[in-house]
Amino acid sequence: MRTDLPRRLAAVAATTLLWLATACAGDDASERARAVFVAFEQALRAGDEATCRTLLTRESAVALDEIPWSAIASKQPLVVVGARQLASEFRVDVRDPNLGDVAGQYVVVREHGRYVVDLLATAALTAEVHEDPNSEDVFEPVPLTPADHDRIRARELAMPPR
């Protein structure tokens, strides 16, 4: 019995240290997510498109082409209220002083080991689908990209010979 006690104490100590490290890492990760959002908004307000691209997900960077840069620069900055982790993403809570302090949220995720703002996921938080009951589904072909051709070729090569 006596030889089992040090082993149990070591297990309890290791579990406690792991729990503390996880708890602290969550707070640090939330702060990093918050800092990325603040840096993104500062770059956005400064009209720094290159920096904005580095702080967005790949899919979200496409939205920069539609940004009204001068209109954003003339507004007051968003006030970050807090940030919290939800599963694999972070929600950054903000208030918009330009709209009477209305509350909002932005999504920050890890992409390729870095924290970045996901504008598409952010838009999905508040998106509402309105369908016209009289509308028809329309197939609109889109040209294949070189990446699409590479995936098709890779799949062909992976198939066993006939």
Side-chain angles (χ1 to χ4, degrees):
M1 283 253 183
R2 218 166 227 284
T3 58
D4 196 31
L5 184 59
R7 198 177 281 164
R8 284 185 186 175
L9 287 175
V12 169
T15 304
T16 304
L17 286 175
L18 181 62
W19 179 81
L20 285 173
T22 304
C24 292
D27 292 339
D28 182 46
S30 295
E31 282 305 311
R32 284 187 284 174
R34 177 186 181 134
V36 164
F37 175 77
V38 169
F40 167 71
E41 191 194 17
Q42 288 172 347
L44 190 64
R45 294 179 43 69
D48 186 353
E49 186 175 347
T51 301
C52 284
R53 281 191 191 284
T54 65
L55 296 170
L56 289 174
T57 61
R58 278 186 166 169
E59 292 81 16
S60 297
V62 176
L64 289 178
D65 297 335
E66 305 298 322
I67 297 287
W69 297 97
S70 58
I72 290 174
S74 66
K75 293 186 178 185
Q76 296 178 34
L78 298 176
V79 177
V80 177
V81 178
R84 63 195 186 306
Q85 186 170 4
L86 296 174
S88 63
E89 67 183 29
F90 296 86
R91 299 282 175 90
V92 178
D93 298 312
V94 298
R95 284 185 302 108
D96 189 346
N98 304 293
L99 299 174
D101 283 339
V102 68
Q105 288 185 337
Y106 283 81
V107 177
V108 174
V109 297
R110 285 181 61 108
E111 183 178 74
H112 304 293
R114 297 180 320 114
Y115 290 96
V116 289
V117 178
D118 189 339
L119 293 178
L120 297 178
T122 299
L125 290 176
T126 57
E128 294 180 17
V129 177
H130 297 279
E131 245 182 80
D132 181 3
N134 300 322
S135 69
E136 294 181 23
D137 290 336
V138 178
F139 177 73
E140 294 181 14
V142 177
L144 295 175
T145 66
D148 294 329
H149 287 287
D150 290 343
R151 279 194 304 274
I152 291 168
R153 183 70 181 140
R155 182 172 281 164
E156 288 173 349
L157 293 173
M159 297 298 279
R162 292 182 186 194

